[in-house]
Amino acid sequence: MLSVKIADRNIWTIYQAVLVLGIAYGTSISVLALHMDATGLPKEEMGLLATAFALGIIVFSVPSGWVVRRIGARRAMIFALMGYAVCVTTFPFPRAIAPLAAVRFVDGACSACLWVAAETALLARAEKHQRAFVMSLYAISLALGYVVGPLLSTVIVPLAGTRSSFFAAGALACGAAAIVFLRLDAKATAGAVSGPEETDHEAEAGGARASNALVFWRTKMSCVATFSYGYFQSSVVLFLPLFLVEAKGVPKERTILVTACFAAGMLAMSPVVSRLGDRHGHLRVMRVLGAVGGAMVGSFVLLSSFPLMLCAVFVAGGTLAAISPVSLALQGVVTPRRDLERANGFYNSAYAAGMLVGPPVSGWLFVSSGGAPMLLHLAGMWAVFVVLTFVFAADDPRSRRAARTAATADPESALS
């Protein structure tokens, strides 16, 4: 039973809140484009709203770490959830681009604070030997919400219109805040967040807090991983369906299956690869995932059978999407507990930066050179990531290089 493997009730409370929030996200996002189009908003301005959301995440991710440290993860989650509820409920009313962009910016800031708080609490509470597994269930909770939310909107919109989906999302966010308020232990998430055991760097770090530069350097491969995934995800969502329609002759309505297969791959494989990461080394597993997933992305240029394309999408989802919880677990292993909130701030900033940079670059390549070069450049990006996992292999405490470095620094510990 999962509840036996993860005994901490606080972890399950966070999963419940994240699942409800994921449903809220899915409910509102699934009608976002429809609502904006119905209000007559130009398509180029729709893109600006996505940019405003990503900028909100980037600007507030690092300050969110300070907020979590000052008021605790529990309070930060409650305030962020209520802030998101206000934003999503307000969104249907403005007509001009400026107030809409402001709402989306605050939406991104609240989301960043929530993610940093939840991830900090989970990493601090998770036992060292199962951090990737704990974070994989976190990712799955959010992903399941994205699946259920659109289904909920298909019921709401015909009955009450697109506005009601945003109102429902606000109500769900309030429900998630209530779960955190009523069930999450304040002592377990107060201040710097105390957990059952120290991280691998806790003892060597002493009592002093590390500088921001050192925190970032320790977690650089987690940040590179999430930047790459944000870049890839935001690009593929926009341009892979267009490539399939224009270059492969796939009917538009069938491209919906692509998203479903990608999500199915992620849901099926995340717990498996996370356990492998906990057992054999997180960076090593991320290297394999990046190599296999990048190869699947490149294979789209050659594939002509739509069923085979769906299989490739399933594998890509099961590898590239699964990198996220494993990279978070690596971050939890190499970061002292007192620095977790700052590390998670850098992590979410890197993810949003990838979301911000990916679509413009991929769109330029798609327009100027076609879909095949666009996909190959994404495959190349994952190849660069794989190379970096070799260059910085010692960042993973389980790597042979890290073991050799530790033995050199402390020969007695190598003999014990």
Side-chain angles (χ1 to χ4, degrees):
M1 293 288 292
L2 291 176
S3 59
V4 174
K5 295 178 181 177
I6 303 175
D8 193 332
R9 180 184 62 81
N10 293 291
I11 291 177
W12 290 103
T13 298
I14 294 173
Y15 289 159
Q16 292 166 10
V18 167
L19 173 61
V20 175
L21 176 69
I23 297 173
Y25 280 155
T27 302
S28 61
I29 290 173
S30 61
V31 300
L32 190 63
L34 292 175
H35 176 77
M36 290 188 295
D37 188 58
T39 59
L41 194 70
K43 289 184 172 52
E44 58 271 17
E45 292 187 357
M46 294 183 191
L48 290 176
L49 294 183
T51 300
F53 177 76
L55 283 174
I57 299 174
I58 293 173
V59 169
F60 205 67
S61 284
V62 174
S64 291
W66 179 86
V67 171
V68 171
R69 185 166 188 83
R70 292 287 295 181
I71 69 174
R74 178 176 176 270
R75 288 183 181 177
M77 289 178 68
I78 292 170
F79 289 148
L81 285 165
M82 294 307 297
Y84 169 75
V86 171
C87 289
V88 75
T89 305
T90 304
F91 186 82
F93 296 103
R95 297 293 189 203
I97 184 63
L100 285 171
V103 171
R104 288 293 283 165
F105 178 87
V106 178
D107 185 346
C110 291
S111 295
C113 185
L114 175 73
W115 299 337
V116 170
E119 290 159 10
T120 299
L122 287 173
L123 286 172
R125 300 304 304 171
E127 296 181 13
K128 186 170 66 174
H129 67 276
Q130 60 175 195
R131 287 197 175 106
F133 180 64
V134 167
M135 298 315 295
S136 73
L137 295 183
Y138 163 75
I140 287 172
S141 299
L142 195 58
L144 283 174
Y146 276 104
V147 173
V148 175
L151 297 177
L152 183 60
S153 279
T154 61
V155 177
I156 294 174
V157 172
L159 297 175
T162 56
R163 277 191 175 189
S164 297
S165 285
F166 294 103
F167 300 153
L172 286 165
C174 291
I179 291 172
V180 174
F181 178 76
L182 295 173
R183 303 202 58 197
L184 192 60
D185 185 358
K187 293 181 180 179
T189 58
V193 189
S194 60
E197 58 180 304
E198 65 182 20
T199 61
D200 294 343
H201 284 281
E202 190 86 33
E204 72 182 48
R209 279 167 57 81
S211 66
N212 286 335
L214 180 56
V215 172
F216 177 77
W217 184 251
R218 278 179 174 163
T219 62
K220 59 185 175 296
M221 284 311 300
S222 291
C223 290
V224 170
T226 197
F227 172 87
S228 300
Y229 183 64
Y231 187 110
F232 164 78
Q233 183 190 45
S234 59
S235 299
V236 164
V237 166
L238 292 174
F239 299 112
L240 181 58
L242 295 179
F243 173 74
L244 294 178
V245 171
E246 296 178 7
K248 301 296 185 178
V250 176
K252 290 182 179 180
E253 60 274 12
R254 298 188 72 188
T255 61
I256 297 173
L257 296 173
V258 172
T259 303
C261 284
F262 188 87
M266 179 266 182
L267 293 173
M269 295 304 297
S270 284
V272 177
V273 300
S274 295
R275 285 203 168 277
L276 291 174
D278 284 332
R279 183 174 300 176
H280 300 292
H282 303 107
L283 196 54
R284 181 185 301 175
V285 170
M286 287 159 62
R287 180 185 306 141
V288 175
L289 295 175
V292 175
M296 290 298 102
V297 175
S299 73
F300 271 93
V301 177
L302 302 175
L303 294 175
S304 57
S305 167
F306 187 60
L308 287 178
M309 292 178 193
L310 292 181
C311 291
V313 169
F314 180 88
V315 175
T319 52
L320 300 179
I323 284 178
S324 180
V326 180
S327 63
L328 271 170
L330 174 64
Q331 187 160 283
V333 169
V334 302
T335 306
R337 187 178 299 109
R338 60 181 164 272
D339 296 324
L340 274 176
E341 72 282 352
R342 284 188 292 161
N344 289 327
F346 288 128
Y347 181 90
N348 283 288
S349 290
Y351 176 70
M355 292 175 61
L356 197 62
V357 174
V361 175
S362 297
W364 174 78
L365 279 172
F366 192 96
V367 172
S368 62
S369 304
M374 185 273 298
L375 287 171
L376 290 175
H377 112 277
L378 293 175
M381 179 194 67
W382 286 113
V384 171
F385 169 75
V386 171
V387 171
L388 290 176
T389 64
F390 283 104
V391 174
F392 297 109
D395 283 11
D396 191 334
R398 285 185 176 272
S399 73
R400 293 192 182 98
R401 193 185 306 175
R404 287 197 300 269
T405 302
T408 303
D410 187 3
E412 293 184 5
S413 66
L415 298 175
S416 60

